[in-house]
Every structure is written in C-alpha cells, then in structure tokens.
Amino acid sequence: MVLEGRIARGEIRPGAQLPVEKALAETFGVSRAVIREAVARLKADGRVETRQGAGAFVALVPKSLNFRFWQGDGPALLELREIFELRAMVESSIAELAARRRRPADIAASECFLKAMDDALASGSDGSEADDDFHLAIAAATHNSYAHRLLEFLGRHFSESRRLAWTMPGGNGALPQEAQAEHRLIFAAVAAGDPGRARRLAHEHVRCAARRVGIQLAQDLLGTQSGIS
C-alpha cells in the first residue's frame, strides 16, 4: 500500500504518529477497513507499533520479522487450523499466568475492553478490535513484557481468526455473543485469581472459536487440562 511506501521512503519519520484512520482513509481514498488492515500488516511486519490510548506510531527501529503464517488474502484451512492450535497453546498459558499476577489496574483495563465488545454487540458493529485489545490486556496482566510483545507480534495472525466470529455472514449475532460469553468467563477466572480455571477456559474459548467456523481441533491439545475442573 502507499502508506508502506511513504514509511519506507522516510516521508513519515520513525517515531512519528500516524494520522487517525478517518484521516488516512480520506488521504488515500479508501475505506477505514482497508486502512485498518494495512496498519495491521505493518504492525505484523514490525514497521508500526501501537501505544495504548495514544495511537499508532512508525517504529523507531523496524523489527526484523521474517516469520510468516501465510501469503495471500487469507489463510488456507490447514493453516487456519494450526493458527487456532497456536492460539490455544499461547492464550491458555497467558491466562493462567495472568490469573496469578493480575493487579486491580489490569482487571479494570480488561473490563473496559469487555464493555467495548458489549457496545459492539449492542450496535451490531465489528468488535474484533476490542476483542484483540481484551486479549492483549490479559497478556499485560502477566507482567511479563515478552508475553505481551509476543501477543502483539502475533496480533494480525490471531486477529484474522478472531474476526471471523464478528464478520461471518448469517450468524445473526450468535457467533460474537457466544464468544463474548466465553470472554466473560475468562475475565472472571483471571479476576478471581484462579489460574487453573483461567487456563482451561481460555483453551476452551479457542476450541469453541474454531468449532464455530467449522474446525475441530485435535484432542491431544488438551494435554493435562482434561484433569482441570
């Protein structure tokens, strides 16, 4: 996209804040959804970073990120299945540690994004960005900066699988409603400081998310979690 070219040529300097979505969309004559996708790709490539409450900025030192999930407009079925498997492994471990380490400010931040998803459900809009932010807030509650940065790095690739619940046609609101109910359970377990339950619920959330889009995850992913009550 033209935005990437402007960053590469130094027309938008490292450390500079990107204009808001609406302004970028008007500048380039595209929809805000196209801008959102372009910024997400730049984030995945390490060219752009977001700062909570402040917006998106050109990275001071572009990260060398050669790890790629797929090429093209979207993942193939096998790749999508493996992304869900990776989500199950990563998000369940993060939820467990978050339940051990969460602080009042972490709970407040997570609850804020839960409400943003409730608002999206009420208006029938796409709440996938708030969905991403909720999972990032849980990662921040681990107080392990690398866990949070890892989830940011994986962001676009995980976002694609989350967005399905909000954008698949014919769901009549059922898909995001179900996902939101699972989010509330994860939030409650983390807030209550119940690591085992948080891990199990985060794992089950990903398994259900995969099932809702027609993917059955392998049972061997459960590991020792089958013994968690």
Side-chain angles (χ1 to χ4, degrees):
M1 184 184 173
V2 178
L3 178 60
E4 182 176 9
R6 290 185 63 182
I7 292 173
R9 291 190 298 272
E11 294 174 17
I12 305 178
R13 307 288 297 175
Q17 183 174 8
L18 294 180
V20 296
E21 278 182 9
K22 184 173 184 287
L24 285 171
E26 291 173 352
T27 297
F28 296 115
V30 296
S31 70
R32 294 178 67 172
V34 170
I35 293 296
R36 193 174 302 121
E37 176 68 12
V39 171
R41 287 179 183 270
L42 289 168
K43 283 174 60 180
D45 287 341
R47 306 297 298 274
V48 165
E49 58 189 18
T50 54
R51 302 173 194 168
Q52 190 155 336
F57 295 78
V58 178
L60 288 171
V61 181
K63 303 174 182 66
S64 178
L65 303 179
N66 296 315
F67 186 48
R68 293 291 183 271
F69 278 79
W70 71 84
Q71 298 295 322
D73 293 334
L77 181 61
L78 176 60
E79 291 170 310
L80 188 55
R81 184 189 309 277
E82 291 182 346
I83 288 169
F84 275 116
E85 285 194 351
L86 183 59
R87 275 189 60 188
M89 290 184 279
V90 171
E91 292 179 15
S92 59
S93 295
I94 282 176
E96 179 180 17
L97 189 57
R100 298 183 191 278
R101 296 182 175 178
R102 82 281 182 267
R103 300 172 187 168
D106 302 318
I107 301 306
S110 301
E111 194 167 24
C112 175
F113 296 124
L114 268 182
K115 184 181 184 304
M117 284 187 282
D118 283 336
D119 292 343
L121 285 169
S123 64
S125 57
D126 180 359
S128 57
E129 187 173 348
D131 195 337
D132 289 341
D133 288 338
F134 171 76
H135 287 280
L136 282 171
I138 296 296
T142 66
H143 295 278
N144 179 308
S145 63
Y146 285 98
H148 185 260
R149 287 163 63 186
L150 174 65
L151 210 60
E152 280 191 313
F153 166 54
L154 295 171
R156 175 180 175 264
H157 312 292
F158 284 2
S159 293
E160 292 290 337
S161 63
R162 291 193 191 110
R163 191 173 292 120
L164 293 172
W166 294 91
T167 60
M168 281 186 69
N172 297 321
L175 298 186
Q177 288 282 5
E178 291 171 8
Q180 180 68 339
E182 293 155 13
H183 290 144
R184 292 191 189 100
L185 290 174
I186 295 168
F187 169 78
V190 170
D194 189 334
R197 183 169 172 78
R199 181 183 182 90
R200 179 176 63 80
L201 288 168
H203 179 99
E204 187 61 21
H205 168 53
V206 178
R207 183 174 291 279
C208 289
R211 189 181 301 128
R212 282 190 285 269
V213 297
I215 294 175
Q216 192 72 32
L217 296 185
Q219 285 300 314
D220 59 6
L221 268 178
L222 284 171
T224 58
Q225 293 188 52
S226 58
I228 297 173
S229 60

